[in-house]
Amino acid sequence: MTIRFCPLGSGSSGNSFWVTGGGIELLVDCGLTARQIDQRLTEVGGALQNIDAIVCTHGHRDHILGTEVLSRKRGIHLWATPLAARFFSRKVPIEQIHHLELDAQTQIGGLTIETVQTQHDIPGSVALILRDGEVSLGIATDLGRVTPSIVAALSSLDGLILEMNHDEAMLERGPYPKRLKQRILSDYGHLSNTQAAHLLDQVLHPGLQHLALAHLSEKNNTPELAHGLAAEVLRRHASQAELWVCAPDRPGMPRTLRRLPTLSSAAR
Ligand SMILES: [Zn+2]
Ligand SMILES: [Zn+2]
């Protein structure tokens, strides 16, 4: 059992991830235009006609921009929490919309999707844990603040896509209007690099294979700052996880997660 995943783009302006596992292919969030998703998927060896489902974490534009077109014109079915699904109720045929229950599991093909409620300023926001048998991937962006249920959910994964939205000093000095700065810094906005590094420190374990930093602000962060802080946490824990940063304007390289033998079974 394996899960293969690839960011098609991730940043404050748009987010979409291609995930394969359990015999199906998903797009988690479609916050790029349908055309960009089509092009970037082709660039990394995928194809829209193979996509079985779209899973939506919440209704902000940077996560849903291309969803309506892909679902309506391509007939791809859509899964979202009941509150997030309301954004699509008049735009996508009702029979193509399915519900993800909050803090519960949903089966799509051979993949199990777990939702974990996030403290974000739009109703029905969730982080996702995707499992193919024992192999797991967490997708945790737009976290607002770290809650005990987020820490518990992210604690024993094989792969993690984690929000590192902003550097607090860059945001303070940066060009955003005061209200927007307050929103981002609030408990219902986004995690700073420091907050995300602290979360990583709590959830990091020897089995983590891949750590992808995501949803970086293009104006209030740099890949070097985010990478540096995460690398420091990995070093402290002597973690072997591969660390990389998702780009907003191009897809990443597809990575594969598989169940690694435990130390005791490897020694046999
Ligand atoms: Zn959001
Ligand atoms: Zn977002």
Side-chain angles (χ1 to χ4, degrees):
M1 283 156 198
T2 58
I3 291 181
R4 199 159 175 266
F5 71 105
C6 175
L8 299 178
S10 180
S12 289
S13 54
N15 296 275
S16 185
F17 302 93
W18 174 37
V19 181
T20 305
I24 60 163
E25 296 197 19
L26 302 180
L27 290 173
V28 174
D29 286 337
C30 293
L32 307 167
T33 65
R35 191 188 164 90
Q36 283 172 323
I37 288 173
D38 190 5
Q39 285 171 344
R40 294 185 193 184
L41 201 50
T42 309
E43 260 180 67
V44 288
L48 264 185
Q49 61 264 32
N50 297 335
I51 299 297
D52 299 292
I54 294 168
V55 179
C56 170
T57 60
H58 64 294
H60 279 152
R61 183 183 156 86
D62 60 315
H63 297 259
I64 65 167
L65 181 65
T67 309
E68 181 191 339
V69 171
L70 289 176
S71 192
R72 201 161 36 79
K73 292 201 176 154
R74 301 277 186 155
I76 306 173
H77 284 226
L78 167 69
W79 274 258
T81 60
L83 288 171
R86 292 201 308 208
F87 290 95
F88 306 105
S89 58
R90 297 221 181 101
K91 301 168 182 162
V92 172
I94 197 79
E95 63 277 11
Q96 285 180 212
I97 302 177
H98 308 270
H99 283 169
L100 296 170
E101 297 306 325
L102 270 183
D103 298 320
Q105 293 186 350
T106 305
Q107 198 71 25
I108 309 179
L111 270 187
T112 305
I113 318 284
E114 288 172 26
T115 59
V116 189
Q117 196 166 357
T118 52
Q119 304 296 307
H120 196 48
D121 53 0
I122 191 164
S125 289
V126 287
L128 301 172
I129 312 295
L130 287 71
R131 295 185 197 277
D132 178 6
E134 292 188 333
V135 181
S136 56
L137 169 68
I139 301 182
T141 68
D142 304 66
L143 292 180
R145 67 187 164 86
V146 175
T147 61
S149 43
I150 285 288
V151 173
L154 304 186
S155 283
S156 55
L157 302 172
D158 299 303
L160 175 59
I161 297 172
L162 179 64
E163 164 174 62
M164 270 203 168
N165 181 254
H166 57 275
D167 172 77
E168 279 164 12
M170 280 183 77
L171 179 66
E172 296 282 2
R173 286 195 310 266
Y176 281 8
K178 195 169 176 205
R179 271 181 77 103
L180 183 54
K181 288 182 183 180
Q182 284 169 343
R183 185 220 147 212
I184 293 168
L185 288 167
S186 79
D187 277 354
Y188 299 93
H190 294 277
L191 291 194
S192 70
N193 293 347
T194 315
Q195 289 171 314
H198 182 61
L199 169 59
L200 181 60
D201 200 32
Q202 293 172 272
V203 302
L204 195 56
H205 67 107
L208 187 73
Q209 296 165 42
H210 279 281
L211 173 63
L213 306 179
H215 213 301
L216 271 69
S217 165
E218 285 110 88
K219 293 210 163 62
N220 305 308
N221 207 353
T222 68
E224 293 74 22
L225 279 173
H227 189 281
L229 268 186
E232 174 53 34
V233 179
L234 295 189
R235 240 189 325 271
R236 264 206 318 275
H237 288 254
S239 169
Q240 299 292 308
E242 189 187 330
L243 170 65
W244 42 286
V245 181
C246 303
D249 54 353
R250 60 184 183 279
M253 198 175 81
R255 261 80 170 196
T256 301
L257 303 168
R258 43 179 62 86
R259 176 74 352 181
L260 298 176
T262 59
L263 284 178
S264 54
S265 64
R268 261 180 235 140

